[in-house]
Amino acid sequence: MINITSTSNLGIFLPSNNKALAQVLSSATIKELEILTQGKDLKSIMGNILKQSGSSDSKDKMLLDLIKKNPTLSNLGEPTKTIKDLLHSIKKVQQTTQSLNLQKAIPTEEKPDNKSFELTKTLQNKGEADTKLQTLEKVLKTLTTDIKEIKNNNGLDLKQKFKNSGVILESKLADVKNPQNELKSTLIVLANKLQKSPLAQSKNIVNEAKSLLNTEILKSATPQDTVEALKERPKQLQEVANKVETLVLKLKTAIKSADTIHSPTLSRAIEVLEHKIEPRVLTSENFKLTPVKEALEEVSLVMRKSFTVESKGILASLEKIFQSIKTIDATVDAFLKEKLPQEISKLTETIKHVITKDDVLYDKDTKHILNKLQTLQTAQKIHPHNNVKEILTNDLKAVLMKTSEELQKNPHVNQNEVLKNIEKLSLQIDHYQLVSQLSNGAAMYLPFSWDMMDEGSIHMQKSEDDTFNVAINLKLKEYGELSVTLSLYEKNQVNIHIYSANKELKEIVKQNIASLRSGLIDAQITPREIRISEPKSKLQHLHYQANDDTLDMGFEVKA
């Protein structure tokens, strides 16, 4: 059974809960344990680890080193393969169940009564276990989706896969929010915001929001609410949900009357356009004229549908820029000579000024509030246990725990292989959790499949100067080990360092540097440098390294 507590570590550092930690402590020498803590008993060792957790002091580093040296953990392999093995073992169990069901389908008179009774009893006992296996199979399959099939909806699908990988289960449970308090906070922000609007429809929406805030459920909701402390009130929940739904409809209707110049499409187009004319993008290796023209055309398309007076002047400025582009070649020198970056910058500032002059009902923040309310407009969504239920249903570690528990209660034919793989996968997840906690970062396996990849892991860390560092460690079927480190700083500037000993792979990377640069720029990320290097050493577990000291190696490749 999964117990939900409010403690920050949620059992990650208890040997009884974290199999990886238990393995490390069982193989540590007395001298190593003495270095970790002054006490010699397990209780004081664990107490000391809990106090020092995340502080990156010598004790954390010592424990991290023990994890790295532990033979069981170093030979675990990657979760990706274990997931495939587990899916295969689940399939075998399901085939056995189908066989039993076929036997039961034979007319009773053709089988001895005692066998019929035992078979029926066996199938009844396995019903719940089969349900849990089906749930586990579903979660596992989502983590083996081919990366080519993942939708590119601003990375949301990929983000969800990482969230449900099992590695951050306890963190999600610790941060779980009461949706009723979330709804209350959203309504307060909306009411305060629309108070500034003189429009009649805004005043109606403010009244609706205040009426909702005066309901018994929302009046009593506080940020300190715990999920366990809240009582179920189905009738009141449904009443609140109905009112939220009505408010959402009114807000949608009001926003639809806005001019196209205030649409999110235009805001996104402006952001893209500004990125295309950043000084760091306007270099010979980064600049491409076609994407700039496409961004301008996107802005023009939205502006033509606008009916404001200001739009006519903006469209006239756009036409002048288009005429100038027609007369130049596609080089950055010609683009700069015509002073087009300054003209485009002036245009975007004018559009942004017009947008800010509009009524608050139509701005981006109000649309964001609307999106939030849309996720809270049913009784189920504002039920206090909904967030926890959703986490436990979709998170791999939670589902593994439930399935293992159910299989042990109701033994199943051919279950040993399933339990063995569940145990191994749980240990691998615990291993990543422990490394994440002690390195004060996030270490994870890659929760998707790729036909060229055997294994893959990623470690993310934020430095004191607000730089985000990411280390990706891959083992490719054809080209061997590949390590990639990325440093993201100044909002959208990135340095990329690629390490491989395979000459053929390095040649392929060099040939595709231009495409990589273009892809990053299209995603509004500016590549400052891309280096390809020989690996300094063969690191099987790159995520053990908090700081990559190999960044000065190799040479930069420019397109």
Side-chain angles (χ1 to χ4, degrees):
M1 175 130 185
I2 297 174
N3 296 313
I4 300 165
T5 71
S6 58
T7 58
S8 59
N9 288 282
L10 288 155
I12 290 176
F13 279 100
L14 299 178
S16 59
N17 293 345
N18 190 295
K19 298 177 178 63
L21 180 58
Q23 189 64 238
V24 170
L25 293 178
S26 68
S27 62
T29 64
I30 294 174
K31 185 178 179 181
E32 286 170 330
L33 291 178
E34 284 177 347
I35 294 172
L36 277 171
T37 179
Q38 296 301 313
K40 294 183 182 179
D41 62 298
L42 186 59
K43 184 178 178 182
S44 60
I45 291 169
M46 295 317 304
N48 196 284
I49 291 170
L50 279 167
K51 285 179 192 173
Q52 303 299 329
S53 166
S55 62
S56 298
D57 66 1
S58 59
K59 293 181 180 67
D60 278 348
K61 290 172 184 174
M62 173 63 73
L63 188 55
L64 202 57
D65 193 49
L66 288 178
I67 294 169
K68 182 179 177 181
K69 292 176 181 175
N70 184 272
T72 302
L73 298 181
S74 61
N75 295 318
L76 264 181
E78 288 296 324
T80 311
K81 184 179 184 306
T82 311
I83 287 172
K84 290 176 182 175
D85 292 341
L86 181 51
L87 278 168
H88 180 69
S89 58
I90 290 172
K91 199 73 179 171
K92 285 169 68 176
V93 169
Q94 289 171 338
Q95 287 169 351
T96 303
T97 304
Q98 288 171 2
S99 177
L100 288 170
N101 283 326
L102 284 172
Q103 289 180 50
K104 188 173 184 293
I106 300 171
T108 307
E109 59 269 22
E110 294 182 20
K111 300 177 294 187
D113 287 343
N114 60 334
K115 285 189 178 181
S116 177
F117 175 76
E118 288 300 324
L119 184 58
T120 302
K121 185 179 176 183
T122 300
L123 288 168
Q124 286 172 347
N125 289 339
K126 290 170 181 26
E128 188 61 31
D130 285 338
T131 302
K132 289 289 185 291
L133 281 173
Q134 287 169 7
T135 303
L136 176 57
E137 184 184 30
K138 181 181 175 183
V139 173
L140 291 171
K141 282 182 176 178
T142 63
L143 296 174
T144 53
T145 307
D146 192 295
I147 193 167
K148 296 172 187 173
E149 296 175 19
I150 297 173
K151 294 177 183 176
N152 187 22
N153 53 350
N154 295 321
L156 290 178
D157 280 6
L158 198 55
K159 182 181 177 182
Q160 200 61 39
K161 283 178 175 292
F162 278 106
K163 281 180 70 175
N164 290 332
S165 65
V167 179
I168 57 173
L169 169 63
E170 287 81 359
S171 298
K172 288 191 293 183
L173 290 173
D175 294 335
V176 73
K177 294 185 176 83
N178 169 19
Q180 294 167 17
N181 184 60
E182 207 171 348
L183 174 58
K184 180 179 180 178
S185 302
T186 305
L187 289 169
I188 290 171
V189 171
L190 177 65
N192 290 340
K193 187 174 185 58
L194 295 191
Q195 290 275 20
K196 302 169 187 175
S197 171
L199 300 177
Q201 59 261 50
S202 296
K203 296 186 187 302
N204 290 335
I205 292 167
V206 169
N207 291 335
E208 290 277 348
K210 286 182 176 178
S211 171
L212 256 168
L213 288 166
N214 281 323
T215 55
E216 183 188 345
I217 284 179
L218 296 188
K219 276 174 75 175
S220 60
T222 68
Q224 289 74 38
D225 286 341
T226 60
V227 174
E228 293 89 344
L230 294 164
K231 295 178 181 178
E232 294 182 23
R233 292 174 283 185
K235 186 178 177 182
Q236 291 95 323
L237 283 175
Q238 190 57 56
E239 288 174 0
V240 170
N242 290 341
K243 288 185 177 181
V244 175
E245 190 177 8
T246 302
L247 177 63
V248 165
L249 286 172
K250 287 188 176 181
L251 195 50
K252 274 184 174 179
T253 303
I255 290 173
K256 274 183 182 176
S257 64
D259 190 275
T260 56
I261 198 170
H262 308 296
S263 71
T265 304
L266 181 60
S267 297
R268 285 194 296 271
I270 290 297
E271 287 175 6
V272 171
L273 188 55
E274 287 182 313
H275 177 66
K276 302 294 183 190
I277 59 168
E278 276 185 5
R280 293 188 180 99
V281 176
L282 295 177
T283 60
S284 56
E285 67 268 17
N286 291 336
F287 177 77
K288 298 284 187 300
L289 185 59
T290 301
V292 176
K293 287 168 64 178
E294 288 172 351
L296 283 165
E297 284 163 3
E298 181 71 21
V299 173
S300 179
L301 188 65
V302 178
M303 295 303 304
R304 285 194 202 106
K305 299 175 184 176
S306 172
F307 47 78
T308 62
V309 175
E310 294 93 339
S311 300
K312 293 179 181 178
I314 292 168
L315 280 169
S317 299
L318 269 168
E319 189 55 37
K320 286 181 182 178
I321 292 171
F322 280 127
Q323 290 300 323
S324 297
I325 287 174
K326 284 179 183 178
T327 62
I328 65 169
D329 57 37
T331 63
V332 67
D333 291 335
F335 190 73
L336 292 170
K337 187 178 179 181
E338 288 292 317
K339 296 186 179 179
L340 285 170
Q342 294 91 324
E343 290 297 318
I344 294 172
S345 181
K346 184 179 175 182
L347 175 75
T348 56
E349 288 303 316
T350 302
I351 295 173
K352 287 196 286 187
H353 179 66
V354 173
I355 291 172
T356 56
K357 280 168 54 181
D358 190 55
D359 192 275
V360 291
L361 177 63
Y362 304 128
D363 67 18
K364 284 195 297 184
D365 292 337
T366 304
K367 290 182 178 71
H368 176 72
I369 293 170
L370 170 62
N371 292 337
K372 187 66 187 172
L373 288 174
Q374 285 180 295
T375 67
L376 297 165
Q377 62 179 339
T378 66
Q380 183 186 7
K381 289 293 184 183
I382 57 174
H383 192 290
H385 291 283
N386 180 66
N387 288 352
V388 173
K389 184 180 178 183
E390 189 173 338
I391 289 170
L392 299 185
T393 303
N394 297 304
D395 187 274
L396 177 58
K397 184 176 180 180
V399 177
L400 285 171
M401 292 166 71
K402 280 288 185 185
T403 307
S404 177
E405 181 184 331
E406 198 58 49
L407 283 173
Q408 288 173 37
K409 278 197 303 185
N410 297 308
H412 209 303
V413 180
N414 293 338
Q415 72 170 25
N416 289 342
E417 192 179 346
V418 173
L419 285 171
K420 180 183 173 183
N421 285 319
I422 286 176
E423 183 76 9
K424 183 177 180 180
L425 187 53
S426 299
L427 177 57
Q428 288 168 327
I429 290 171
D430 284 350
H431 179 209
Y432 276 100
Q433 286 185 317
L434 202 53
V435 171
S436 298
Q437 190 79 15
L438 293 171
S439 63
N440 203 21
M444 289 189 178
Y445 63 94
L446 299 182
F448 51 80
S449 68
W450 177 30
D451 55 7
M452 290 187 66
M453 181 180 74
D454 271 334
E455 297 174 1
S457 62
I458 182 169
H459 183 246
M460 295 165 278
Q461 200 165 33
K462 186 180 179 182
S463 61
E464 291 179 2
D465 62 355
D466 284 337
T467 298
F468 285 92
N469 300 300
V470 181
I472 303 170
N473 200 36
L474 303 175
K475 187 175 180 182
L476 304 179
K477 292 175 182 176
E478 209 173 320
Y479 302 107
E481 292 181 6
L482 170 68
S483 298
V484 182
T485 62
L486 302 96
S487 296
L488 182 68
Y489 56 97
E490 290 182 18
K491 188 180 177 182
N492 69 342
Q493 312 299 307
V494 68
N495 288 343
I496 302 174
H497 296 254
I498 301 165
Y499 303 97
S500 173
N502 188 289
K503 291 181 181 178
E504 188 181 350
L505 178 60
K506 284 193 285 190
E507 191 57 40
I508 292 170
V509 173
K510 288 177 193 176
Q511 290 171 6
N512 288 276
I513 290 289
S515 298
L516 175 59
R517 282 186 181 277
S518 297
L520 288 167
I521 291 168
D522 287 344
Q524 298 182 53
I525 298 171
T526 306
R528 295 299 303 276
E529 68 174 19
I530 301 175
R531 289 180 180 269
I532 305 172
S533 309
E534 285 285 329
K536 186 174 182 181
S537 61
K538 291 184 179 179
L539 295 172
Q540 291 183 343
H541 297 285
L542 188 60
H543 55 251
Y544 287 122
Q545 290 204 175
N547 298 307
D548 185 23
D549 59 355
T550 64
L551 294 183
D552 59 340
M553 298 176 62
F555 54 90
E556 182 171 6
V557 177
K558 295 185 182 242

mmCIF file of all heavy atoms in Angstrom, residues 515-539:
data_model
loop_
_atom_site.group_PDB
_atom_site.id
_atom_site.type_symbol
_atom_site.label_atom_id
_atom_site.label_comp_id
_atom_site.label_asym_id
_atom_site.label_seq_id
_atom_site.Cartn_x
_atom_site.Cartn_y
_atom_site.Cartn_z
ATOM 1 N N SER A 515 21.950 21.888 -40.183
ATOM 2 C CA SER A 515 20.545 21.554 -39.892
ATOM 3 C C SER A 515 20.248 21.695 -38.406
ATOM 4 O O SER A 515 19.167 22.157 -38.017
ATOM 5 C CB SER A 515 20.244 20.120 -40.333
ATOM 6 O OG SER A 515 20.425 19.984 -41.720
ATOM 7 N N LEU A 516 21.221 21.304 -37.576
ATOM 8 C CA LEU A 516 21.050 21.428 -36.126
ATOM 9 C C LEU A 516 20.910 22.888 -35.724
ATOM 10 O O LEU A 516 20.019 23.250 -34.956
ATOM 11 C CB LEU A 516 22.239 20.786 -35.405
ATOM 12 C CG LEU A 516 22.280 20.919 -33.874
ATOM 13 C CD1 LEU A 516 21.054 20.298 -33.234
ATOM 14 C CD2 LEU A 516 23.548 20.287 -33.310
ATOM 15 N N ARG A 517 21.787 23.730 -36.280
ATOM 16 C CA ARG A 517 21.706 25.162 -35.979
ATOM 17 C C ARG A 517 20.348 25.736 -36.394
ATOM 18 O O ARG A 517 19.702 26.469 -35.624
ATOM 19 C CB ARG A 517 22.812 25.926 -36.718
ATOM 20 C CG ARG A 517 24.179 25.813 -36.090
ATOM 21 C CD ARG A 517 25.165 26.725 -36.820
ATOM 22 N NE ARG A 517 26.486 26.616 -36.253
ATOM 23 C CZ ARG A 517 26.901 27.280 -35.179
ATOM 24 N NH1 ARG A 517 26.068 28.098 -34.562
ATOM 25 N NH2 ARG A 517 28.130 27.130 -34.724
ATOM 26 N N SER A 518 19.920 25.409 -37.609
ATOM 27 C CA SER A 518 18.640 25.931 -38.113
ATOM 28 C C SER A 518 17.478 25.469 -37.240
ATOM 29 O O SER A 518 16.577 26.245 -36.927
ATOM 30 C CB SER A 518 18.409 25.476 -39.554
ATOM 31 O OG SER A 518 19.388 25.990 -40.400
ATOM 32 N N GLY A 519 17.506 24.184 -36.840
ATOM 33 C CA GLY A 519 16.440 23.653 -35.998
ATOM 34 C C GLY A 519 16.369 24.345 -34.654
ATOM 35 O O GLY A 519 15.280 24.658 -34.158
ATOM 36 N N LEU A 520 17.542 24.625 -34.071
ATOM 37 C CA LEU A 520 17.578 25.320 -32.781
ATOM 38 C C LEU A 520 17.062 26.750 -32.912
ATOM 39 O O LEU A 520 16.284 27.225 -32.082
ATOM 40 C CB LEU A 520 19.014 25.328 -32.232
ATOM 41 C CG LEU A 520 19.545 23.980 -31.721
ATOM 42 C CD1 LEU A 520 21.056 24.052 -31.514
ATOM 43 C CD2 LEU A 520 18.855 23.570 -30.432
ATOM 44 N N ILE A 521 17.494 27.421 -33.965
ATOM 45 C CA ILE A 521 17.046 28.803 -34.180
ATOM 46 C C ILE A 521 15.543 28.849 -34.414
ATOM 47 O O ILE A 521 14.849 29.741 -33.911
ATOM 48 C CB ILE A 521 17.817 29.441 -35.351
ATOM 49 C CG1 ILE A 521 19.279 29.655 -34.930
ATOM 50 C CG2 ILE A 521 17.197 30.764 -35.778
ATOM 51 C CD1 ILE A 521 20.214 30.010 -36.062
ATOM 52 N N ASP A 522 15.016 27.883 -35.174
ATOM 53 C CA ASP A 522 13.565 27.815 -35.389
ATOM 54 C C ASP A 522 12.819 27.601 -34.081
ATOM 55 O O ASP A 522 11.659 28.010 -33.939
ATOM 56 C CB ASP A 522 13.221 26.677 -36.366
ATOM 57 C CG ASP A 522 13.618 27.017 -37.794
ATOM 58 O OD1 ASP A 522 13.859 28.214 -38.057
ATOM 59 O OD2 ASP A 522 13.709 26.095 -38.625
ATOM 60 N N ALA A 523 13.471 26.932 -33.116
ATOM 61 C CA ALA A 523 12.859 26.708 -31.804
ATOM 62 C C ALA A 523 13.158 27.860 -30.848
ATOM 63 O O ALA A 523 12.946 27.743 -29.638
ATOM 64 C CB ALA A 523 13.363 25.395 -31.203
ATOM 65 N N GLN A 524 13.665 28.975 -31.384
ATOM 66 C CA GLN A 524 13.994 30.184 -30.628
ATOM 67 C C GLN A 524 15.110 29.948 -29.609
ATOM 68 O O GLN A 524 15.090 30.474 -28.502
ATOM 69 C CB GLN A 524 12.743 30.747 -29.943
ATOM 70 C CG GLN A 524 11.670 31.168 -30.929
ATOM 71 C CD GLN A 524 10.455 31.765 -30.269
ATOM 72 O OE1 GLN A 524 10.586 32.691 -29.476
ATOM 73 N NE2 GLN A 524 9.283 31.245 -30.560
ATOM 74 N N ILE A 525 16.070 29.097 -29.985
ATOM 75 C CA ILE A 525 17.263 28.857 -29.168
ATOM 76 C C ILE A 525 18.476 29.234 -30.012
ATOM 77 O O ILE A 525 18.592 28.810 -31.166
ATOM 78 C CB ILE A 525 17.365 27.383 -28.729
ATOM 79 C CG1 ILE A 525 16.157 27.008 -27.869
ATOM 80 C CG2 ILE A 525 18.652 27.132 -27.959
ATOM 81 C CD1 ILE A 525 16.057 25.537 -27.565
ATOM 82 N N THR A 526 19.377 30.034 -29.460
ATOM 83 C CA THR A 526 20.550 30.475 -30.212
ATOM 84 C C THR A 526 21.766 29.635 -29.842
ATOM 85 O O THR A 526 22.217 29.666 -28.696
ATOM 86 C CB THR A 526 20.855 31.956 -29.913
ATOM 87 O OG1 THR A 526 19.688 32.732 -30.168
ATOM 88 C CG2 THR A 526 22.005 32.446 -30.774
ATOM 89 N N PRO A 527 22.322 28.869 -30.800
ATOM 90 C CA PRO A 527 23.531 28.085 -30.509
ATOM 91 C C PRO A 527 24.763 28.986 -30.531
ATOM 92 O O PRO A 527 25.091 29.579 -31.552
ATOM 93 C CB PRO A 527 23.565 27.062 -31.653
ATOM 94 C CG PRO A 527 22.808 27.709 -32.774
ATOM 95 C CD PRO A 527 21.819 28.650 -32.165
ATOM 96 N N ARG A 528 25.447 29.121 -29.397
ATOM 97 C CA ARG A 528 26.661 29.937 -29.350
ATOM 98 C C ARG A 528 27.866 29.159 -29.859
ATOM 99 O O ARG A 528 28.722 29.691 -30.534
ATOM 100 C CB ARG A 528 26.912 30.401 -27.905
ATOM 101 C CG ARG A 528 25.837 31.334 -27.368
ATOM 102 C CD ARG A 528 25.742 32.604 -28.185
ATOM 103 N NE ARG A 528 27.005 33.316 -28.248
ATOM 104 C CZ ARG A 528 27.438 34.169 -27.312
ATOM 105 N NH1 ARG A 528 26.668 34.409 -26.258
ATOM 106 N NH2 ARG A 528 28.580 34.781 -27.438
ATOM 107 N N GLU A 529 27.948 27.871 -29.482
ATOM 108 C CA GLU A 529 29.023 27.045 -30.000
ATOM 109 C C GLU A 529 28.593 25.580 -30.006
ATOM 110 O O GLU A 529 27.801 25.158 -29.170
ATOM 111 C CB GLU A 529 30.310 27.214 -29.181
ATOM 112 C CG GLU A 529 30.240 26.684 -27.771
ATOM 113 C CD GLU A 529 31.599 26.744 -27.071
ATOM 114 O OE1 GLU A 529 32.478 27.504 -27.526
ATOM 115 O OE2 GLU A 529 31.771 26.021 -26.085
ATOM 116 N N ILE A 530 29.097 24.863 -30.987
ATOM 117 C CA ILE A 530 28.854 23.420 -31.076
ATOM 118 C C ILE A 530 30.219 22.765 -31.281
ATOM 119 O O ILE A 530 30.886 23.003 -32.291
ATOM 120 C CB ILE A 530 27.913 23.075 -32.253
ATOM 121 C CG1 ILE A 530 26.561 23.783 -32.083
ATOM 122 C CG2 ILE A 530 27.696 21.564 -32.326
ATOM 123 C CD1 ILE A 530 25.610 23.609 -33.250
ATOM 124 N N ARG A 531 30.638 21.945 -30.322
ATOM 125 C CA ARG A 531 31.958 21.313 -30.384
ATOM 126 C C ARG A 531 31.821 19.788 -30.479
ATOM 127 O O ARG A 531 30.976 19.201 -29.827
ATOM 128 C CB ARG A 531 32.792 21.664 -29.149
ATOM 129 C CG ARG A 531 33.271 23.099 -29.113
ATOM 130 C CD ARG A 531 34.089 23.361 -27.863
ATOM 131 N NE ARG A 531 34.558 24.736 -27.828
ATOM 132 C CZ ARG A 531 35.718 25.152 -28.326
ATOM 133 N NH1 ARG A 531 36.529 24.280 -28.904
ATOM 134 N NH2 ARG A 531 36.081 26.409 -28.248
ATOM 135 N N ILE A 532 32.686 19.192 -31.292
ATOM 136 C CA ILE A 532 32.740 17.733 -31.392
ATOM 137 C C ILE A 532 34.112 17.300 -30.890
ATOM 138 O O ILE A 532 35.132 17.797 -31.375
ATOM 139 C CB ILE A 532 32.542 17.257 -32.842
ATOM 140 C CG1 ILE A 532 31.236 17.828 -33.409
ATOM 141 C CG2 ILE A 532 32.529 15.736 -32.902
ATOM 142 C CD1 ILE A 532 31.054 17.573 -34.893
ATOM 143 N N SER A 533 34.140 16.369 -29.922
ATOM 144 C CA SER A 533 35.400 16.004 -29.284
ATOM 145 C C SER A 533 35.523 14.501 -29.096
ATOM 146 O O SER A 533 34.535 13.771 -29.091
ATOM 147 C CB SER A 533 35.509 16.667 -27.906
ATOM 148 O OG SER A 533 35.265 18.047 -27.975
ATOM 149 N N GLU A 534 36.761 14.084 -28.882
ATOM 150 C CA GLU A 534 37.028 12.730 -28.424
ATOM 151 C C GLU A 534 36.631 12.662 -26.948
ATOM 152 O O GLU A 534 36.851 13.615 -26.209
ATOM 153 C CB GLU A 534 38.527 12.408 -28.549
ATOM 154 C CG GLU A 534 38.992 12.155 -29.957
ATOM 155 C CD GLU A 534 38.563 10.794 -30.483
ATOM 156 O OE1 GLU A 534 38.444 9.855 -29.679
ATOM 157 O OE2 GLU A 534 38.328 10.683 -31.698
ATOM 158 N N PRO A 535 36.042 11.562 -26.504
ATOM 159 C CA PRO A 535 35.714 11.458 -25.078
ATOM 160 C C PRO A 535 36.983 11.420 -24.242
ATOM 161 O O PRO A 535 37.958 10.755 -24.612
ATOM 162 C CB PRO A 535 34.937 10.145 -24.977
ATOM 163 C CG PRO A 535 35.339 9.363 -26.172
ATOM 164 C CD PRO A 535 35.662 10.349 -27.250
ATOM 165 N N LYS A 536 36.979 12.164 -23.132
ATOM 166 C CA LYS A 536 38.157 12.184 -22.270
ATOM 167 C C LYS A 536 38.357 10.824 -21.618
ATOM 168 O O LYS A 536 39.454 10.345 -21.430
ATOM 169 C CB LYS A 536 37.999 13.266 -21.200
ATOM 170 C CG LYS A 536 39.234 13.473 -20.342
ATOM 171 C CD LYS A 536 39.044 14.662 -19.420
ATOM 172 C CE LYS A 536 40.298 14.896 -18.584
ATOM 173 N NZ LYS A 536 40.132 16.034 -17.669
ATOM 174 N N SER A 537 37.250 10.200 -21.238
ATOM 175 C CA SER A 537 37.298 8.846 -20.683
ATOM 176 C C SER A 537 35.963 8.188 -20.952
ATOM 177 O O SER A 537 34.968 8.854 -21.197
ATOM 178 C CB SER A 537 37.556 8.886 -19.176
ATOM 179 O OG SER A 537 36.513 9.581 -18.517
ATOM 180 N N LYS A 538 35.922 6.879 -20.949
ATOM 181 C CA LYS A 538 34.681 6.151 -21.197
ATOM 182 C C LYS A 538 33.860 6.117 -19.916
ATOM 183 O O LYS A 538 34.086 5.297 -19.041
ATOM 184 C CB LYS A 538 34.978 4.736 -21.678
ATOM 185 C CG LYS A 538 35.594 4.701 -23.068
ATOM 186 C CD LYS A 538 35.787 3.284 -23.548
ATOM 187 C CE LYS A 538 36.373 3.264 -24.955
ATOM 188 N NZ LYS A 538 36.582 1.891 -25.431
ATOM 189 N N LEU A 539 32.909 7.049 -19.827
ATOM 190 C CA LEU A 539 32.074 7.144 -18.634
ATOM 191 C C LEU A 539 30.765 6.417 -18.872
ATOM 192 O O LEU A 539 29.949 6.838 -19.681
ATOM 193 C CB LEU A 539 31.795 8.611 -18.305
ATOM 194 C CG LEU A 539 33.024 9.440 -17.908
ATOM 195 C CD1 LEU A 539 32.639 10.892 -17.805
ATOM 196 C CD2 LEU A 539 33.607 8.955 -16.606
#
